[in-house]
Amino acid sequence: MLEHYTVETAQSVDEAIKVLDRNLKEAGFGILWQMDIPSKLQEKGVNSYTNPYRILEVCNPREAARVLNHNELAGYFLPCKITVYKSGEVTKIGLIKPSAFMRMLDDPELTATAQEIEAVLIQVLDQSK
């Protein structure tokens, strides 16, 4: 079983993030923060990685409250991360499946909730190609 989900698009990284942002908002999620990996590495004196690569932290506040009210350890895995990066000539958009993280807590109810959130995020990624 794959513990991640990745789609490919012909869009640039910046274009893909704009589309992703719009689709996330429509699904009740928002981008809380974005890290530009090559820029951050260069800021730290490492110039050997220049491939466009962004990590987005995304959240649905209602769902976050729901899982934290159920099990505070779920916060170890919040917010969800989506990566958008250039691989060769194609842009990839991907995420670690939330259910993969929640299974670590051995809580079937929490895993089921994570699967619901995961389904929404996978739909968003599919719409953002």
Side-chain angles (χ1 to χ4, degrees), residues 82-101:
I82 296 178
T83 59
V84 183
Y85 59 100
K86 196 77 168 171
S87 180
E89 297 301 312
V90 70
T91 298
K92 295 189 177 187
I93 308 168
L95 58 85
I96 293 293
K97 292 179 177 178
S99 63
F101 285 126

Side-chain angles (χ1 to χ4, degrees), residues 34-95:
Q34 183 179 152
M35 181 188 286
D36 181 331
I37 296 293
S39 292
K40 185 55 76 176
L41 291 174
Q42 289 169 6
E43 184 182 298
K44 303 296 181 183
V46 177
N47 296 311
S48 60
Y49 189 84
T50 59
N51 194 45
Y53 201 109
R54 308 272 179 76
I55 298 173
L56 313 176
E57 290 193 341
V58 304
C59 182
N60 176 312
R62 287 182 189 84
E63 294 299 336
R66 182 172 130 187
V67 298
L68 288 169
N69 281 324
H70 179 75
N71 186 332
E72 291 175 332
L73 294 176
Y76 291 1
F77 311 113
L78 298 179
C80 295
K81 289 184 176 47
I82 296 178
T83 59
V84 183
Y85 59 100
K86 196 77 168 171
S87 180
E89 297 301 312
V90 70
T91 298
K92 295 189 177 187
I93 308 168
L95 58 85

